[in-house]
Amino acid sequence: MFEVSCQQLVLAGQSLLAKGLVAGTWGNLSLRVAEDQVAITPSGREYGSLKSEDVVIVDLNGQVIFQASGRTASSEMPLHLAIYQARPDIMAIVHTHSVHASACAVAHKPIPPVIEDIVQLAGGEIPLAPYALPGTQELAAQAAATLGSKQAVLLANHGAVCCGTTLAEAMTAAELVEKAAQIYLYANLLGGAKALSDEDVNIMHEFYVSHYRKRRGDTGND
């Protein structure tokens, strides 16, 4: 019954690898398959060789429900579960170590609302969660709290966590966060990035939530 969801995660992981948003075994993905059940990529498995039977199904307390290959869930499972518990609207989570977003995380710099596409989806600044050791409950709690109602958060000295109401939206968020981080860094080389106003941010995000999200499907086209 979980085969389709597991295969979706495999294809999404391979897409992240192809786009340079993850490397090796780092980064992880998950998909809510029921109100209280989550499919999550395994620990220590490279995306290029990942198979659907490697994906693990757990409940929101981390108890294993389905484990076809015997592999263990990602060590960042607490991070994913904390967000799902706090945000019933979130259906998918993509955690990347993409270069430009990670540069901002290492510099302890949130990504300000400087470009329209990420503002529409994420709802403004991409905030920065304080540093905590990976895989810990402390990291999970801080990430979920800092994320708040946004669709993405940076983890200090770590990477980015991007969320969506669908797996496609979470994947798009991961791409847009990396793009926004790159633009932000380049703009600062040219004299400084200029943020959009709070009013414009709110207008664009409300339009996305009320209209664009409903009609865009999974295409992402304007």
Side-chain angles (χ1 to χ4, degrees), residues 25-188:
T25 63
W26 284 269
N28 32 76
L29 306 89
S30 66
L31 176 64
R32 197 193 292 263
V33 296
E35 183 178 355
D36 60 348
Q37 297 178 0
V38 172
I40 187 167
T41 50
S43 177
R45 184 69 158 164
E46 291 192 357
Y47 291 98
S49 58
L50 186 66
K51 299 179 180 179
S52 59
E53 55 263 33
D54 296 324
V55 176
V56 182
I57 310 296
V58 298
D59 65 20
L60 292 188
N61 295 314
Q63 296 298 310
V64 174
I65 295 172
F66 184 74
Q67 197 174 29
S69 68
R71 293 188 177 276
T72 58
S74 168
S75 60
E76 293 293 2
M77 180 177 66
L79 168 67
H80 290 251
L81 297 184
I83 292 173
Y84 286 122
Q85 290 167 1
R87 293 279 301 278
D89 62 308
I90 294 302
M91 299 302 291
I93 297 171
V94 175
H95 170 39
T96 71
H97 295 174
S98 55
V99 173
H100 298 91
S102 295
C104 292
V106 167
H108 291 200
K109 296 288 188 182
I111 303 172
V114 292
I115 196 76
E116 293 176 350
D117 45 16
I118 189 61
V119 164
Q120 291 178 44
L121 192 154
E125 175 187 87
I126 308 302
L128 176 79
Y131 179 77
L133 284 170
T136 62
Q137 291 292 343
E138 180 184 7
L139 175 67
Q142 290 181 346
T146 305
L147 176 69
S149 61
K150 299 285 184 66
Q151 300 299 108
V153 61
L154 298 180
L155 308 179
N157 298 90
H158 191 146
V161 176
C162 304
C163 309
T165 57
T166 65
L167 180 55
E169 186 176 67
M171 291 285 288
T172 298
E175 291 186 62
L176 292 181
V177 166
E178 176 63 5
K179 174 188 170 185
Q182 186 174 14
I183 290 170
Y184 175 51
L185 293 171
Y186 286 167
N188 284 332

Side-chain angles (χ1 to χ4, degrees), residues 21 88 136 181 194 203:
L21 297 177
T136 62
K194 312 301 182 187
I203 289 172

